[in-house]
Amino acid sequence: MPFYLDVLGVECSYGAVKVIDGMAFSIKQGCFAGIIGPNGSGKSTLLRCISRALKPVRGTVLLEGESLYKMSPREAARKMAVVPQETAVNFPFTVEEIIMMGRSPHLGRFQAEGKRDYEITGRSMDLTNTRHLAGRQVTAISGGERQRVIIAKALAQEPELILLDEPTSHLDINQQVEILSLLQRMNREGGLTILAVFHDLNLAAQFCDLMILMQKGKAYRVGKPEDVLTVDSIKEVYGTRVLIKKHPVTGRPAVFLLTRREGEVPGKGRIHVVCGGGAGAAVLGLLAEHGFAVTAGVLNMGDIDWETAKFLELEMTEEAPFSDISDRSYRENMEMIQRADACVLVSIPFGRGNLKNLEAVSRACAWGKPVLLVEEREIGERDFTGGEATLMYNQLKEQGAVVLQGGAEVPEVLAGLLQARL
Amino acid sequence: MEVLKEVCFLNPQRRVWRWRMINAMLFGVLGLAVVVCSTIGPAQISPLDVMVMLVRKLPWVGSMVPPGDWPESHETIIFQMRLARVVLAVLVGAGLASSGVVLQGLLQNPMADPYILGISSGAALGATAAMLFGLGMHTLGVFALPLTAFAGAVATAITVYNVARVGGRTPVSTLILAGIAVGSFLSAVTSYFMITSGQNIHQVVFWLMGGLAGRGWDHVLVLLPYIVAGLAVMLLNVRKLNVMLLGDEPAQHLGVDVERLKQVLLGAATLTAAAAVAVSGVIGFVGLIIPHAVRLVVGPDHRVLLPAATLAGAIFLTAADTLARVAAAPGEIPVGVITALCGGPFFIYLLRKKKEPGF
């Protein structure tokens, strides 16, 4: 099958500044394609170029093999509709009148709107859920409603291709999903080809079949969402570290943002965090963010603390999933505690399987290392050993372990403790 | 819910019918205004006589109506003096209002008026040159003033358009700013001429305020082709003008050749307004207020707005000019003073009344 839209070596400039520099990609008919990229990478300019608002200096765009720039404005408008980021209408047209304007490329100079035009306008209103607004003035409706009206106008054009520039950036999440689901339905059921600029990577990944990641006016990567949205490509193009997971429901890639991490600060100190499950994730992140050298253990593979440590690239003691702490990992954990300047025990529940963690902490106490206990819940509530854990835990307190109510002040308190020891 | 639908949805037939009714009504009012305003003046002539006189001038039906028993002089007063001026007011009012509608739409700016491209300043400079330095007076006679004014106006509009043109496009904001800049410059030149000429500048000031005193059928004939041609071009593009209100790029996406439409409509609106200014001087507010007032009543759709505003402009200026003629008789008030006196407060009223953003 030949491609529907071919962008061939397009170059675009604003004055002397080259904004699009040799962009090339092709999309098939019936494709839902998304353009992503950092601010200033040329996404909107590319879209303006394809929408004929801007003529490329070099290269061309073909629509079904025919140069887009050689078509008459009317001819192009019958095939392609454009939804800008925001539309300001200064004159008090009614919503219906605005949507009816979508019919203008199909009407002759003296031709009045006919029955068919009213039918199509009505259908566009139904699809976009704007029928109840029909008689309202477009100047007096909300931004979200106005965007739906503009999309209805675009649909009334009966286009084969629809171009959208961040169509949902001014909408709340409910409206975002509503609009994009509508477009997805038009795409799947109506065979509408869609090319949209997205600011939100997750929205793009959810809805697009094809993604075009732009960097400095070029296509950095074009392909399926899972091939385009990778930790490395995001790091390369956006210069930021993210976590990419499969969306639990849709299976599409989902991007999680992370706070900026400065890296380990020499001399700040080495901290070992005894955690597990998901109780320690926040403390791990916080300590790493503050520049401590952090180790963790003993962690069962696949749990949240393990994933967090993995992601933060921390050294840790691992144990097989859902397994008790073995002698081998206990020893490994002890070695880490030995190397650390201080030890933190977070609010984990204790059962027979991880009692060895508590043992390890008491050894740290015995060695005279500062020990912090984060006590978000009373030990009694999380003791599943029949009192043994409570006993050991209270001994820690007697041995001089510092108790904190929450994890937030851990870095500060630790810094103070380590300072005092010097 | 059913009732709501009924209210919300425009019935296409009913809408077209409503538009026709509005225009028919305005047309009737204009006819009435022409007759009534022709009767007003020092010589008392009854409206009925005027009507019969007019009907008798019509082809075919005219010969069927018997002449009345009015004195010969009345017919002379009506046809040689008053009617020419009333018709001129109709044409100037129509030209300024239609030009205002088109420019407001084309520039997507509710503050636009026929003079936004600086043509009033250009016309003023041309007219001043004719009045103070006798430019063209020898060769052109009475038409020296309108022709120099017209030339000044058109030259200014062309200059502004070219100044605003950047890389094959004429962005609206640049166009407006260029109009202001060139207009201010030309106004300064005009002022300089007025101050340094050492002549009586009373005539110039009077012209600048705009008026129809002393104009006759000759002026009507000069103006008529421009108004007719200009209006025709504007009326041919009303649907595109509607789409232009969405902005340049959205209009292009709906299949309008925006740059071409700008050239055609700026050309039509400018020529219409320039011709009107050339015969009448700078009459303010008609081209700004009438489009707004009419839009308030009929809505922003140019298919009804343009003809309705054209008729309303004609009615308004006919009435205003009659007032200018008789209010300070035997002297005259420049009609521009009357339009500004009515227009200013009305505009403020519109601004205060408006509760929603936008126009």
Side-chain angles (χ1 to χ4, degrees):
Chain A
M1 192 173 95
F3 288 107
Y4 180 70
L5 182 79
D6 296 282
V7 176
L8 302 173
V10 166
E11 278 182 38
C12 261
S13 306
Y14 289 124
V17 186
K18 203 180 266 183
V19 184
I20 304 289
D21 185 9
M23 188 81 193
F25 65 91
S26 295
I27 56 180
K28 287 182 177 160
Q29 185 141 33
C31 179
F32 195 141
I35 304 171
I36 54 169
N39 286 339
S41 60
K43 304 184 296 273
S44 296
T45 309
L46 176 68
L47 207 73
R48 286 188 69 207
C49 211
I50 299 172
S51 75
R52 293 164 34 107
L54 202 67
K55 263 214 170 91
V57 204
R58 202 164 295 148
T60 189
V61 179
L62 302 182
L63 196 68
E64 289 180 302
E66 198 186 332
S67 171
L68 202 56
Y69 305 102
K70 289 191 181 129
M71 290 181 192
S72 75
R74 265 169 77 88
E75 211 180 322
R78 287 185 203 175
K79 295 193 166 186
M80 178 170 76
V82 183
V83 177
Q85 213 173 103
E86 216 178 2
T87 307
V89 185
N90 279 331
F91 294 84
F93 280 104
T94 64
V95 164
E96 189 184 26
E97 284 168 333
I98 292 280
I99 298 174
M100 187 55 96
M101 285 184 191
R103 296 303 301 154
S104 60
H106 297 275
L107 293 169
R109 195 187 283 272
F110 298 107
Q111 198 183 346
E113 299 96 349
K115 195 164 160 255
R116 199 177 117 74
D117 299 305
Y118 276 89
E119 275 168 18
I120 292 166
T121 305
R123 205 183 325 135
S124 305
M125 286 195 272
D126 287 338
L127 282 168
T128 49
N129 192 16
T130 48
R131 202 177 259 281
H132 61 290
L133 301 171
R136 297 263 300 276
Q137 286 187 359
V138 75
T139 44
I141 60 177
S142 76
E145 289 169 334
R146 189 152 57 239
Q147 192 66 330
R148 291 214 306 271
V149 169
I150 296 302
I151 290 177
K153 173 176 74 76
L155 293 179
Q157 253 173 286
E158 292 190 298
E160 296 170 1
L161 169 67
I162 188 163
L163 303 177
L164 307 103
D165 187 2
E166 294 186 26
T168 60
S169 55
H170 296 280
L171 308 183
D172 62 39
I173 46 169
N174 164 44
Q175 294 168 327
Q176 287 183 338
V177 171
E178 195 181 325
I179 296 254
L180 289 169
S181 302
L182 158 72
L183 289 170
Q184 192 172 45
R185 212 166 65 233
M186 296 298 297
N187 170 251
R188 289 189 181 158
E189 291 163 22
L192 184 68
T193 311
I194 298 174
L195 181 60
V197 167
F198 283 93
H199 201 69
D200 186 317
L201 301 179
N202 285 321
L203 275 180
Q206 284 276 308
F207 289 96
C208 297
D209 311 318
L210 181 84
M211 285 178 86
I212 298 141
L213 175 59
M214 287 187 71
Q215 183 187 33
K216 294 181 190 137
K218 288 191 172 77
Y220 177 81
R221 199 171 285 177
V222 181
K224 288 186 194 151
E226 54 268 35
D227 299 330
V228 172
L229 284 184
T230 63
V231 173
D232 291 337
S233 66
I234 301 291
K235 172 98 180 116
E236 173 67 25
V237 174
Y238 288 84
T240 187
R241 277 157 44 84
V242 293
L243 183 63
I244 293 184
K245 311 265 342 170
K246 246 188 186 166
H247 190 290
V249 179
T250 62
R252 301 278 187 136
V255 180
F256 296 92
L257 301 177
L258 295 157
T259 45
R260 210 181 149 81
R261 192 184 151 206
E262 301 298 341
E264 285 170 21
V265 178
K268 184 98 191 194
R270 176 178 286 273
I271 312 294
H272 185 77
V273 182
V274 175
C275 50
V283 171
L284 289 175
L286 211 55
L287 288 173
E289 198 181 314
H290 277 74
F292 289 101
V294 186
T295 56
V298 175
L299 299 174
N300 288 107
M301 287 175 182
D303 78 10
I304 292 174
D305 282 353
W306 178 85
E307 269 184 7
T308 308
K310 199 85 186 159
F311 177 75
L312 294 169
E313 295 165 4
L314 304 180
E315 209 181 322
M316 62 173 153
T317 308
E318 294 168 290
E319 187 53 82
F322 301 104
S323 308
D324 295 351
I325 296 171
S326 66
D327 290 339
R328 186 196 53 80
S329 46
Y330 174 74
R331 270 198 308 280
E332 202 182 319
N333 201 28
M334 285 310 304
E335 277 161 26
M336 282 184 184
I337 291 176
Q338 228 164 355
R339 277 193 288 138
D341 299 312
C343 185
V344 178
L345 172 64
V346 299
S347 234
I348 45 176
F350 289 102
R352 289 277 161 219
N354 68 344
L355 209 56
K356 280 193 175 143
N357 266 344
L358 206 48
E359 231 168 82
V361 178
S362 66
R363 292 284 289 278
C365 255
W367 288 333
K369 291 198 190 279
V371 170
L372 267 187
L373 305 177
V374 180
E375 202 174 290
E376 274 155 353
R377 282 161 64 206
E378 292 274 337
I379 180 67
E381 291 174 37
R382 48 192 168 93
D383 179 4
F384 302 98
T385 59
E388 202 174 332
T390 310
L391 207 68
M392 289 171 73
Y393 192 81
N394 288 334
Q395 269 171 9
L396 287 179
K397 287 188 185 172
E398 282 162 27
Q399 281 172 289
V402 180
V403 181
L404 291 178
Q405 297 305 317
E409 65 260 60
V410 169
E412 206 181 317
V413 175
L414 271 176
L417 282 173
L418 295 178
Q419 199 84 47
R421 268 163 62 96
L422 284 177
Chain B
M1 220 34 219
E2 277 308 305
V3 179
L4 198 68
K5 264 188 181 174
E6 194 60 43
V7 174
C8 284
F9 282 100
L10 294 169
N11 179 329
Q13 268 106 44
R14 218 170 58 194
R15 187 172 65 170
V16 170
W17 186 77
R18 182 168 167 259
W19 289 356
R20 286 195 182 135
M21 281 304 291
I22 288 170
N23 284 325
M25 211 177 67
L26 284 169
F27 209 83
V29 174
L30 178 61
L32 202 67
V34 168
V35 171
V36 169
C37 290
S38 300
T39 64
I40 298 174
Q44 293 292 319
I45 305 171
S46 83
L48 192 70
D49 286 358
V50 174
M51 215 131 53
V52 176
M53 279 185 222
L54 288 177
V55 171
R56 273 176 56 78
K57 285 284 175 185
L58 294 175
W60 301 307
V61 283
S63 51
M64 290 181 234
V65 180
D69 55 349
W70 54 74
E72 190 78 11
S73 63
H74 279 192
E75 206 153 331
T76 312
I77 289 171
I78 292 297
F79 286 115
Q80 297 306 315
M81 299 162 71
R82 290 189 195 162
L83 195 62
R85 191 158 163 182
V86 166
V87 171
L88 198 62
V90 167
L91 292 181
V92 169
L96 290 177
S98 59
S99 172
V101 167
V102 166
L103 286 166
Q104 284 176 5
L106 201 61
L107 303 180
Q108 299 130 43
N109 190 323
M111 291 311 294
D113 77 345
Y115 307 139
I116 195 151
L117 297 188
I119 63 164
S120 51
S121 311
L125 184 58
T128 309
M131 286 184 274
L132 295 181
F133 310 126
L135 183 67
M137 286 293 186
H138 303 296
T139 44
L140 301 168
V142 263
F143 290 115
L145 193 54
L147 283 176
T148 49
F150 184 74
V154 172
T156 308
I158 292 173
T159 308
V160 167
Y161 180 78
N162 284 305
V163 165
R165 202 164 169 78
V166 191
R169 281 168 195 275
T170 38
V172 165
S173 51
T174 328
L175 207 52
I176 293 172
L177 289 174
I180 293 171
V182 173
S184 313
F185 177 79
L186 294 179
S187 294
V189 175
T190 306
S191 303
Y192 178 77
F193 283 165
M194 284 164 66
I195 298 304
T196 56
S197 72
Q199 294 183 35
N200 184 0
I201 55 173
H202 182 254
Q203 192 198 359
V204 179
V205 173
F206 216 85
W207 190 89
L208 285 180
M209 285 191 271
L212 296 171
R215 273 52 154 203
W217 286 111
D218 290 342
H219 290 91
V220 171
L221 287 178
V222 171
L223 180 57
L224 190 64
Y226 286 101
I227 302 290
V228 170
L231 262 179
V233 172
M234 294 184 217
L235 285 168
L236 282 177
N237 289 292
V238 278
R239 193 204 303 278
K240 288 181 185 170
L241 206 49
N242 280 348
V243 175
M244 276 302 289
L245 291 184
L246 298 175
D248 279 15
E249 280 188 24
Q252 198 188 13
H253 298 149
L254 284 173
V256 176
D257 192 341
V258 171
E259 283 309 311
R260 203 176 144 62
L261 185 71
K262 270 189 195 161
Q263 283 170 350
V264 168
L265 285 182
L266 280 180
T270 303
L271 284 182
T272 309
V277 173
V279 300
S280 67
V282 185
I283 299 175
F285 272 98
V286 179
L288 180 66
I289 290 300
I290 296 295
H292 275 294
V294 175
R295 192 179 289 118
L296 216 58
V297 179
V298 305
D301 194 318
H302 286 100
R303 283 174 289 182
V304 59
L305 176 61
L306 184 60
T310 306
L311 290 168
I315 296 165
F316 176 66
L317 200 64
T318 305
D321 185 54
T322 304
L323 201 61
R325 210 154 44 87
V326 301
E332 277 236 17
I333 305 171
V335 71
V337 173
I338 308 259
T339 57
L341 278 177
C342 303
F346 181 67
F347 198 58
I348 292 167
Y349 160 76
L350 284 186
L351 284 176
R352 300 293 303 176
K353 184 172 171 265
K354 192 169 62 79
K355 290 196 181 65
E356 287 159 5
F359 276 73

